[in-house]
Amino acid sequence: MRYLFLAVLLFIYLDASAKTIRVGAKRTYKSVQAGLKVVADGDTLAVDAGHYRERNLAIRKRIVFTGIGYPILDGENKYEIISVYVSGVIVEGFKIIHSGVSSLNDLSGIKVYNSDNVIITNNVLEDTFFGIYIQNGSKCTIINNKLTATSLEEQQSGNGIHCWKGDSLSIIGNRISGHRDGIYFEFVKNSVILKNHAVNNMRYGLHFMFSNDDMYASNVFRNNGSGVSVMYSKRIKMLNNYFEENWGDAAYGILLKEISDGVMEGNFFTKNTSAIYMEGATRIHMTKNTFKDNGWALKIQASCMDVVLERNNFIGNTFDVGTNGSLVLNTFKNNYWDKYEGYDLNKDKIGDIPFRPVSMFSMIVEKFPAAMILFRTFITTLLDKTEKILPSLTPENLRDNEPLMNRAF
């Protein structure tokens, strides 16, 4: 009890000793750099509205760094703007513009170096090389920021939110556009990406590399080069996301390459060139997803194993499933296919004959893309009808033995 009392007194003392230092044209400290020199651990450095050109702002003390009326921190196209070198910092309420661009250094609007428990919230970043960068940090939170870039080439653009070697990060409610990748994870584990909007980014809305035990949920990925790429990762949960209008010759809603033990549930894929492209994927459970009005709903390569696809809806897609091999080691069951023409004599809402989602014409197009010019012609319809009666080219065991007569949900 005595020690608890002393701890409470210490907390009250530390809280009382913390102070707020104001920076602005009418303040004692006219520049942000001057404020950073006098601020102490636990203090708040509050910056008045204005336009500040102060090169690189290095934060080396545990402070709350806050803007009042969104003061502008201008990197003049030369500098990294805010660099955080200590744990426990909060950065909020700034408009951060015009960072430098470098092919050697990942110059950023805000960069966190080897620090934990940093919170970056309610900032606006425009025309930065990298937007917000976490380098070797844990338990950091990036929430409710808006990041916009305008570069036209990938070489001149970094990622909006870039996380390298992190643990237990939270990326929540951000809006990212115009960057190379909207959000990038490399060697990041136990982290959450929630309710973000990644729109009009050059390469991917979200990109995973060598990252395990992460979850992304309730995000929107629209009109990117591709929506999401998950590569060389394990145990990724993909829940309730929207993948919309990711169009292009090599564009996907999701690219899954060399991943294992993932869960994909409750996602919506609408108007993508390919909703999902899977290569080297193992033990992926896919359920309650909706594929609507895509070019290809699912391209699953022969290198995929133990993928379970159940209770999904396939509606209005040009091709439902494509593959490049005849040996299929995956399970399709209880999905709704709008192209299913079977019957249900016992009225149990399950089709009495299997459905083969791979059409002959889709396999021809897979090998000879120019054949697409014959789409919706009489000859392609005849080929597909014949293949359904006497299967010869399509994979015999790629079929849904119990297709649903009505939508799964």
Side-chain angles (χ1 to χ4, degrees):
M1 190 67 180
R2 176 189 172 192
Y3 294 106
L4 178 61
F5 178 71
L6 291 174
V8 170
L9 285 179
L10 178 62
F11 175 80
I12 293 172
Y13 170 76
L14 291 174
D15 185 64
S17 66
K19 58 185 180 296
T20 297
I21 295 173
R22 299 291 295 268
V23 169
K26 298 181 180 180
R27 306 290 180 181
T28 302
Y29 302 102
K30 309 297 183 184
S31 70
V32 180
Q33 296 284 15
L36 286 173
K37 288 180 181 178
V38 300
V39 77
D41 282 342
D43 287 351
T44 295
L45 182 61
V47 182
D48 289 347
H51 198 130
Y52 299 83
R53 297 177 178 88
E54 304 200 25
R55 301 188 177 186
N56 175 245
L57 300 172
I59 299 176
R60 302 181 185 276
K61 298 170 185 175
R62 180 180 53 81
I63 63 171
V64 176
F65 186 42
T66 184
I68 299 170
Y70 282 91
I72 297 171
L73 305 180
D74 191 340
E76 303 178 79
N77 298 309
K78 298 178 182 178
Y79 312 107
E80 183 165 279
I81 300 171
I82 298 176
S83 303
V84 179
Y85 295 99
V86 65
S87 299
V89 170
I90 298 174
V91 179
E92 61 178 352
F94 291 96
K95 185 172 182 179
I96 298 167
I97 63 173
H98 307 323
S99 75
V101 175
S102 172
S103 58
L104 298 177
N105 300 308
D106 297 335
L107 300 179
S108 308
I110 304 172
K111 190 168 182 179
V112 177
Y113 294 84
N114 307 312
S115 301
D116 306 329
N117 296 294
V118 174
I119 299 174
I120 300 170
T121 180
N122 293 319
N123 300 285
V124 176
L125 295 93
E126 296 179 357
D127 187 30
T128 57
F129 184 42
F130 284 79
I132 299 171
Y133 196 126
I134 306 293
Q135 177 180 294
N136 190 22
S138 66
K139 299 180 182 177
C140 296
T141 300
I142 301 172
I143 183 169
N144 294 340
N145 301 281
K146 182 178 180 181
L147 304 96
T148 306
T150 56
S151 296
L152 300 178
E153 298 180 0
E154 286 188 16
Q155 294 80 0
Q156 296 298 313
S157 179
N159 303 318
I161 296 175
H162 185 106
C163 303
W164 178 82
K165 197 177 180 183
D167 189 355
S168 303
L169 307 179
S170 298
I171 316 297
I172 303 171
N174 302 282
R175 306 181 76 89
I176 312 116
S177 64
H179 287 271
R180 182 171 60 198
D181 293 341
I183 302 171
Y184 181 87
F185 271 23
E186 186 172 3
F187 301 111
V188 177
K189 59 185 179 181
N190 304 315
S191 297
V192 174
I193 298 170
L194 181 67
K195 295 183 178 179
N196 301 279
H197 281 67
V199 179
N200 296 322
N201 294 288
M202 284 180 276
R203 190 168 62 176
Y204 301 113
L206 168 61
H207 191 181
F208 283 87
M209 291 286 289
F210 309 106
S211 296
N212 303 326
D213 301 295
D214 299 313
M215 178 182 75
Y216 65 95
S218 302
N219 302 283
V220 175
F221 305 102
R222 182 186 304 116
N223 198 28
N224 302 286
S226 286
V228 173
S229 174
V230 184
M231 307 175 73
Y232 309 105
S233 300
K234 299 177 181 178
R235 298 177 297 278
I236 304 297
K237 293 181 180 179
M238 301 162 266
L239 312 174
N240 305 316
N241 300 285
Y242 290 81
F243 304 84
E244 302 171 350
E245 299 186 30
N246 299 290
W247 288 109
D249 291 342
Y252 314 102
I254 299 181
L255 167 64
L256 302 178
K257 183 177 176 62
E258 303 299 332
I259 78 163
S260 61
D261 301 295
V263 175
M264 187 181 297
E265 181 175 337
N267 301 285
F268 293 84
F269 299 86
T270 306
K271 296 182 179 179
N272 303 281
T273 300
S274 295
I276 300 179
Y277 182 93
M278 309 177 69
E279 180 180 331
T282 306
R283 297 184 300 278
I284 310 298
H285 190 247
M286 304 166 60
T287 184
K288 296 182 180 179
N289 303 288
T290 296
F291 301 84
K292 189 175 187 293
D293 298 333
N294 301 283
W296 299 81
L298 175 64
K299 283 190 172 183
I300 182 167
Q301 304 302 84
S303 56
C304 298
M305 296 177 58
D306 298 322
V307 175
V308 177
L309 194 78
E310 61 177 339
R311 301 196 66 79
N312 301 281
N313 291 325
F314 292 81
I315 304 164
N317 303 295
T318 303
F319 302 112
D320 288 327
V321 179
T323 187
N324 64 345
S326 58
L327 179 62
V328 179
L329 301 174
N330 306 296
T331 301
F332 292 69
K333 64 180 181 180
N334 293 141
N335 299 286
Y336 171 76
W337 313 86
D338 67 343
K339 296 180 178 65
Y340 182 62
E341 297 176 347
Y343 43 82
D344 178 20
L345 296 180
N346 61 359
K347 304 299 182 182
D348 63 354
K349 299 182 181 180
I350 296 176
D352 294 340
I353 58 175
F355 176 69
R356 291 182 171 83
V358 179
S359 67
M360 176 183 282
F361 185 55
S362 74
M363 297 199 69
I364 294 172
V365 170
E366 184 77 25
K367 294 182 179 180
F368 306 102
M372 194 65 194
I373 197 173
L374 300 174
F375 182 59
R376 297 191 189 281
T377 62
F378 174 74
I379 186 64
T380 60
T381 303
L382 184 61
L383 281 172
D384 286 341
K385 296 291 185 183
T386 304
E387 182 69 11
K388 287 181 179 179
I389 298 171
L390 299 170
S392 57
L393 294 180
T394 57
E396 169 64 23
N397 56 344
L398 201 164
R399 61 188 180 189
D400 189 335
N401 289 319
E402 298 179 336
L404 301 180
M405 299 301 294
N406 301 305
R407 295 188 184 187
F409 51 91

